[in-house]
Structures are given as structure tokens and as C-alpha cells.
Amino acid sequence: MSNLEITTLLSEEKIQNRVAELGKELTKKLEGEEVVAVCVLKGALMFYSDLIRHLNIDLKSEFIGVSSYADRAKSSGEVKLTLDLNSSVKDKHILLVEDIVDTGLTLNYLKKLLQARQPKAITTASLLLKPDALQEKCDIDYVGFEIPNDFVVGYGLDYAGAYRNLPFIGQVISLN
Ligand code: 5GP
């Protein structure tokens, strides 16, 4: 396991309260729709599994995989599809669930890719947003928290594959 010095940025309680709020808002928005909730692997795994338990609606679950960071703490600027959806989203309402929007490249790439499959609509939700890191315009319908432009780990987010299992979000103070 890597040896990072980490300080708590968002506690487990704060995250869980916000996820419950987002779940309520999204339930209102998506009621009556044919929803496919898409988890963006791997980082959104925790947020996704908590969020969909707060969605009081019928939905189908799908997973999509992208990678842009490899084993580094900085975006490579290149998005690669590593896993595709298992079923058609044509005429369905997609709820696209991301862990964090940093440069905005990944979310914009995914929205374009999914839009081409003719869904009825795409609603986007990201637990975190780093407004100061955006490199292109990126519209997100639901954001959990806006955070400073620092590298964070935990609650699904990794550094070189580690730290995803932390129940809170930590800010990395130093890379030892
Ligand atoms: P973007 O394409 O917006 O630059 O980055 C999106 C992806 O980069 C996220 O889904 C996430 O996997 C990764 N990422 C961006 N910022 C961070 C961060 O601070 N920590 C971690 N662990 N991953 C990040």
C-alpha cells in the first residue's frame, strides 16, 4: 500500500447526509421514467451503490469503465473506454454517476458517447467537482460537493489502485 499523508476533507457522515439529499432530489426528478443508472468505474463505485439505495424508483443498473489517470495523480488528458454497457439505452433515461469532475474531459467524453446511443435523456450526477481544474465547459446536473484543486482519495477514489476503501474523502498532503 502506498504511504500517503492524508487529512480528512469530507467525513463519512457529511458524505452520507449529502448522498441521501441527492437521492431525494433525484427520486423526484426521475419518478415515472425508465431509468438506467450507469456507474462510471472504478471511482464511482461507493457513491453509486449508496446513491441508488436512496432512489425510490425502479431502475436498471449498468457499468461503464474509463481510465485517464493510469497510476499517476495527474490526468493524462486522454480518456479510454475500458468497459462498455451491457444493454441498449435507446429511449431510456440515463442517470450517469461519476465520482469526480476534474478537467471535465471524462464526463464530456461519456456524455458524447452515450448521446450517440439515442437515450431519451441523460442526467448527470458527480459526488465531487473541482471548479478550478475545469479545462472545458462541463454541465453537471447534480453535484455533491465542490472541492479545491487538490488530489483526493477514499470513498471509491484511488491513488495507484489503493485507498478506495476509505469511508471518507481525504486530501493528500504529501506523496511519501
Ligand atoms: P477528468 O476527466 O474530469 O479530469 O477526471 C475525471 C476522472 O479522473 C475521475 O473520474 C477520477 O477517476 C479521476 N480523478 C480526478 N481528480 C481526482 C482526484 O483528485 N483523485 C482521484 N483519486 N482521482 C481523480
Side-chain angles (χ1 to χ4, degrees):
M1 185 119 168
S2 329
N3 256 339
L4 300 190
E5 205 181 315
I6 295 167
T7 170
T8 303
L9 180 67
L10 298 167
S11 68
E12 182 173 5
E13 191 189 1
K14 210 166 169 186
I15 296 170
Q16 292 303 332
N17 288 341
R18 183 70 183 126
V19 173
E21 268 175 25
L22 288 172
K24 271 196 198 140
E25 289 175 33
L26 279 161
T27 296
K28 269 193 217 145
K29 160 136 196 189
L30 297 173
E31 252 168 358
E33 295 284 301
E34 221 180 317
V35 175
V36 180
V38 176
C39 174
V40 183
L41 295 174
K42 299 175 187 165
L45 77 120
M46 300 272 183
F47 176 43
Y48 180 84
S49 63
D50 285 340
L51 182 67
I52 63 170
R53 279 179 280 185
H54 287 287
L55 294 180
N56 198 11
I57 52 168
D58 284 336
L59 59 79
K60 297 230 165 91
S61 247
E62 280 288 338
F63 299 87
I64 199 161
V66 283
S67 84
S68 67
Y69 274 47
D71 277 356
R72 289 167 295 119
K74 208 169 172 300
S75 172
S76 62
E78 222 180 87
V79 184
K80 258 198 305 191
L81 192 68
T82 55
L83 176 78
D84 205 347
L85 304 180
N86 236 341
S87 62
S88 166
V89 286
K90 190 165 187 303
D91 301 327
K92 307 276 168 53
H93 193 135
I94 296 175
L95 171 63
L96 185 59
V97 182
E98 253 287 27
D99 51 356
I100 183 165
V101 174
D102 183 62
T103 62
L105 296 173
T106 305
L107 193 62
N108 282 344
Y109 167 88
L110 285 170
K111 279 203 281 187
K112 206 169 150 199
L113 182 99
L114 294 173
Q115 200 61 62
R117 299 180 185 184
Q118 300 173 290
K120 179 182 171 196
I122 301 179
T123 293
T124 51
S126 180
L127 180 68
L128 305 174
L129 166 67
K130 292 182 189 169
D132 296 339
L134 283 173
Q135 282 179 18
E136 46 188 59
K137 186 175 165 348
C138 184
D139 296 321
I140 315 159
D141 300 307
Y142 295 83
V143 172
F145 303 93
E146 293 195 357
I147 61 165
N149 191 8
D150 295 308
F151 195 74
V152 292
V153 293
Y155 195 64
L157 289 151
D158 75 313
Y159 173 71
Y163 301 103
R164 291 195 201 275
N165 56 326
L166 296 178
F168 60 91
I169 297 212
Q171 192 163 327
V172 176
I173 302 296
S174 68
L175 307 173
N176 289 324

